[in-house]
Amino acid sequence: MLGTKNGVHWHTGDEHNEIGHISEERLNRRLMVEKRMKKLELVAKEIPIEDKLKVYGDANSENLVVSWGSPKGAIIEAIEMLKQEGFNLVSCKCG
């Protein structure tokens, strides 16, 4: 798991196709970027400004985690674990 002390993180790719398989093909990459941009356009129109950004943790922290989408629970859990180890972080979930 990323962030695990002495752990190894294996990154297989940055993009996946419509059914979730890793794919670095140019056409697939372009299509997936276009799909994400359409989602952002919808977010910009449909979500009220006060719901577009949520801050979790110490807002005065020198460390920041910014995310978009579904990893909120895992990030908040990681922040709590790191807090127990003496780190001070804040998380901003956008969108």
Side-chain angles (χ1 to χ4, degrees), residues 46-69:
E46 299 291 327
I47 299 177
I49 190 71
E50 61 273 7
D51 292 335
K52 287 185 181 176
L53 177 69
K54 299 287 184 186
V55 177
Y56 303 90
D58 181 0
N60 296 316
S61 174
E62 292 181 11
N63 303 291
L64 174 67
V65 176
V66 178
S67 70
W68 181 67

Side-chain angles (χ1 to χ4, degrees), residues 11-58:
H11 187 75
T12 57
D14 293 321
E15 197 61 81
H16 62 278
N17 61 21
E18 288 284 340
I19 59 174
H21 294 154
I22 297 297
S23 172
E24 294 296 331
E25 295 176 10
R26 289 181 190 167
L27 176 60
N28 179 68
R29 172 75 176 150
R30 184 174 56 78
L31 292 173
M32 293 297 105
V33 168
E34 289 173 1
K35 181 178 178 179
R36 282 190 291 276
M37 292 300 104
K38 287 179 185 174
K39 288 181 181 181
L40 288 175
E41 290 171 10
L42 182 62
V43 165
K45 287 193 293 188
E46 299 291 327
I47 299 177
I49 190 71
E50 61 273 7
D51 292 335
K52 287 185 181 176
L53 177 69
K54 299 287 184 186
V55 177
Y56 303 90
D58 181 0

